[in-house]
Amino acid sequence: MTTIAERLQAVRARIAAAAHACGRDADEVTLVAVSKRQPLAAIEAAADCGQRHFGESYAQEGSDKIRELSGRGLIWHFVGPLQANKTRLVADHFDWVHSVDRLRIAERLSSARAPDHPPLQVLIQVKLSTEESKGGVSPEALPQLGEALSRLPHLRWRGLMTLPEADVELARARFAQLRRLMENLNARGFGLDTLSMGMSADLEAAIEEGAHLVRVGSAIFGERA
Ligand SMILES: *Cc1c(COP(=O)(O)O)cnc(C)c1O
C-alpha cells in the first residue's frame, strides 16, 4: 500500500518537474493539500511530512478540524461553495477563501472577520467552464466585483480561482484564460499575485500556465470516503 508520505513525495516531484519544464522556480508554486472528507489522522500524517497548507470544502467539517489541529502552524484554505449562513464559521477559522463569487458573501466574510486577525486572503472564483455545476462569477462581471471587494476592510483580494472541465487540454485553455484575466486586472491597477488552479489530474498544465496555488486531494490522500 502506498502511504500518504510516498504520495505527497510523488506530488511534490510532479510540481518540481512541471515548474522545471517551463522555466519556473518550484518555490513559486504552493501545494494546497485538499483534505475534505479525510480523517484527522490523514492530515496529521501529511503535516508530519512538512505539508503546511490544507484545503477544506465544507465549513463545519473544516472548522472542526482546524480547532482540533490548532497549534500545529497549519494554513487553511476554504475551497468549497460558500453559503451565506456559513460565512462566520469560515471567517473565524480559515486563512484563505478561494471561492468568493458574489459581493454579499464577501461583505459577510469581511464583517465577520475579527479585526484583530490578519485580513482574510481571498480569491474570486471565475466561471470559465460551461458546466452548470461549476460556479463562479462571469469574466464580464469580475472587474466590478473586484472593485467592490477590494474596498472591504477585513479582506485582502489576492487573485483568482477556477474549476475547469475534466478534459486536460480544455482545462489548459481555461488556465491560460484565467491568467490573462489577472493580467488585465493588474493592468488596471489591482495588485493581484495569486492564481489558484490545477488539481490532481491537471496540475502540470496549471503550473505551465502560471498557477501559484495547486489544490490536490486524491493524489495525496487517495480516494475520499
Ligand atoms: C476536491 C477539490 C479539489 C481536489 O480535487 P482532487 O481531484 O481530489 O485533487 C480541488 N479543488 C476543489 C475546489 C475541490 O473541491
Side-chain angles (χ1 to χ4, degrees), residues 34 36 57 79-81 161 163 198-201 215-219 222 224:
V34 180
K36 63 180 181 223
S57 299
V79 302
M161 182 272 240
L163 265 178
M199 319 198 325
S200 293
R215 311 178 308 269
V216 179
S218 51
R224 285 178 279 276

Side-chain angles (χ1 to χ4, degrees), residues 58-177:
Y58 307 100
Q60 189 64 58
E61 175 192 331
S63 301
D64 291 345
K65 288 171 170 172
I66 294 169
R67 263 195 302 265
E68 293 283 345
L69 295 169
S70 67
R72 291 203 59 150
L74 305 179
I75 299 164
W76 294 91
H77 299 247
F78 187 81
V79 302
L82 194 41
Q83 294 157 357
N85 63 350
K86 297 289 163 60
T87 46
R88 174 163 295 281
L89 263 182
V90 171
D92 277 348
H93 294 95
F94 285 82
D95 303 292
W96 285 75
V97 177
H98 293 217
S99 47
V100 173
D101 63 356
R102 53 201 194 277
L103 186 58
R104 187 167 113 84
I105 292 287
E107 287 169 342
R108 290 179 66 105
L109 286 171
S110 182
S111 55
R113 184 70 165 178
D116 61 340
H117 278 36
L120 192 58
Q121 310 293 303
V122 301
L123 305 176
I124 294 180
Q125 182 173 345
V126 186
K127 181 173 175 59
L128 301 176
S129 157
T130 55
E131 290 167 23
E132 273 311 312
S133 63
K134 295 180 171 157
V137 68
S138 70
E140 294 71 33
L142 171 61
Q144 203 189 345
L145 176 58
E147 191 83 54
L149 199 154
S150 51
R151 284 195 290 267
L152 296 173
H154 305 298
L155 305 185
R156 180 153 171 240
W157 184 28
R158 295 291 299 273
L160 306 176
M161 182 272 240
T162 200
L163 265 178
E165 292 86 346
D167 176 84
V168 175
E169 283 317 307
L170 190 49
R172 179 188 294 278
R174 305 300 188 202
F175 297 150
Q177 198 181 347

